[in-house]
Amino acid sequence: DFSEFTVDAYKRLLDTASAKLSFIRFTESGNPAQKGRLPVLWRHDVDVSVHRSLRLARVENEMGCRSTYFFLLHSSFYNLLEKEVCILAREILKLGHHAGLHFDLGFYDDITELESLEEKVLFETRLLEDMLGHPVEAVSFHNPEIGNALSHDQPKIAGLVNTYSRDLRNNYEYIS
């Protein structure tokens, strides 16, 4: 039932979460509870729509919440190289949110080991940072079951916080 997937329902969710949780960035994930509240790594994997993501980012901004938006360079639904789409992504970051790379391991046929994975992540990170004019702090795998992505569970990949690292999976509950 998708009847609760509304902006008003999302506002209620944020209100409930912000009363009990402290929104932190992935680069702060090793920190203990802040202000007596448990830390939460609030994130959005932008698979389909930067337009809709901007609407959520505005709601979060109004409510004083910060998220990390993971942008996908190989989406079938949007193209960050289109000027209008890139402007919208930049607007999300201007609202105080953070940028992440949503990396599609399934796009590549030649990634066989960590070194080749890091080369591709670094390439996409540089491209994304150049397009957004903003640093990228973390990487999340798109469809992590594809390409054995979950076997790459070290804390960082190509200098970015790995959202599927063993440490994060052990210390944070994942809810989608």
Side-chain angles (χ1 to χ4, degrees), residues 41-58:
L41 300 164
W42 206 269
R43 84 181 217 202
H44 301 278
D45 293 345
V46 184
D47 291 345
V48 177
S49 175
V50 177
H51 295 76
R52 193 65 185 154
S53 296
L54 177 56
R55 177 66 178 113
L56 294 178
R58 287 180 174 145

Side-chain angles (χ1 to χ4, degrees), residues 10-18 21-26 39-45 56 60 65-70 97-98 172 175:
Y10 189 59
K11 286 179 180 180
R12 289 191 303 273
L13 175 65
L14 286 173
D15 192 49
T16 300
S18 61
L21 303 170
S22 178
F23 290 73
I24 65 168
R25 32 188 346 155
F26 278 87
V40 63
L41 300 164
W42 206 269
R43 84 181 217 202
H44 301 278
D45 293 345
L56 294 178
E60 292 167 346
C65 303
R66 298 290 174 262
S67 299
T68 302
Y69 283 78
F70 288 85
H97 301 293
H98 315 292
Y172 287 85
I175 301 170

Side-chain angles (χ1 to χ4, degrees), residues 1 10 18 28 31 33 35 44 57 69 74 95 105 111 114 128 135 137 146 148 165:
D1 177 24
Y10 189 59
S18 61
E28 301 170 323
N31 293 351
K35 300 177 190 169
H44 301 278
Y69 283 78
H74 304 287
L95 292 169
L105 194 60
I111 294 178
L114 180 61
L128 186 58
E137 299 179 347
I146 296 174
N148 204 22
S165 73

Side-chain angles (χ1 to χ4, degrees), residues 107-131:
F107 178 80
Y108 297 98
D109 295 328
D110 59 343
I111 294 178
T112 57
E113 55 193 50
L114 180 61
E115 183 177 327
S116 54
L117 170 65
E118 288 195 316
E119 287 174 10
K120 300 296 186 189
V121 168
L122 188 58
F123 168 75
E124 289 195 13
T125 299
R126 288 179 178 155
L127 182 59
L128 186 58
E129 287 179 335
D130 188 54
M131 286 187 300

Side-chain angles (χ1 to χ4, degrees), residues 70-90:
F70 288 85
F71 296 100
L72 184 61
L73 292 180
H74 304 287
S75 174
S76 299
F77 302 102
Y78 69 88
N79 180 354
L80 280 173
L81 293 174
E82 290 180 13
K83 186 174 183 176
E84 177 190 341
V85 175
C86 189
I87 289 169
L88 296 176
R90 288 176 183 165

